[in-house]
Amino acid sequence: MSWSEIVPHRVITVGRNSGNRALIDNALARHGLQLNWSYDVAHISGSLGSVEAGLGVAVLPRLATPAAGHPIIHTIQLAEPEVSRTIGIVRGTGRRCPLMPANFSRRSSKHGVRRLGHQSEPVAARS
């Protein structure tokens, strides 16, 4: 699905001042697109609840969306234009990585996550 296809829909955002919101707005502005940000929620769970209630669509990182087979929410990958964000793990120099971040790092590398970052694909959740 292209970003232009969700322009006419009400879009739910997690925090107007979030890094994801600025990233999306800037990327789409370069292509002459502007989303209809209609609802502002404090947490991702609030955006998913708003989608379940039929208030609009939410643009979220894939990892923040429900698993396939959710009875109400359907996840669709967005493309054209591509919007991505780099994430990483920060640790002290010369220190071992604690178990949980180490496991995350190891598992992420199996899914194509580069050592210095990850290109996260945004998706739209809709009811």
Side-chain angles (χ1 to χ4, degrees):
M1 171 178 262
S2 72
W3 287 89
S4 61
E5 292 178 80
I6 64 170
V7 167
H9 297 277
R10 293 173 302 193
V11 181
I12 302 156
T13 184
V14 179
R16 290 183 180 151
N17 298 320
S18 76
N20 285 336
R21 168 74 183 268
L23 178 77
I24 291 167
D25 283 344
N26 292 334
L28 297 183
R30 289 190 298 271
H31 295 274
L33 298 172
Q34 183 176 3
L35 296 182
N36 178 15
W37 299 109
S38 300
Y39 299 98
D40 186 19
V41 297
H43 301 285
I44 288 174
S45 59
S47 67
L48 293 173
S50 297
V51 169
E52 285 181 331
L55 297 177
V57 300
V59 177
L60 305 167
R62 179 175 301 283
L63 291 175
T65 61
H70 190 281
I72 299 171
I73 297 175
H74 306 281
T75 303
I76 303 164
Q77 184 172 339
L78 290 166
E80 301 174 32
E82 181 179 316
V83 177
S84 63
R85 183 167 194 170
T86 301
I87 63 170
I89 297 173
V90 179
R91 64 180 173 89
T93 303
R95 296 185 181 211
R96 287 181 48 99
C97 199
L99 184 58
M100 190 179 301
N103 286 338
F104 171 77
S105 181
R106 215 175 6 266
R107 288 181 179 165
S108 297
S109 65
K110 291 180 184 177
H111 297 285
V113 176
R114 299 177 312 199
R115 184 166 174 79
L116 296 177
H118 170 64
Q119 303 259 323
S120 178
E121 302 166 338
V123 295
R126 64 174 177 82
S127 60

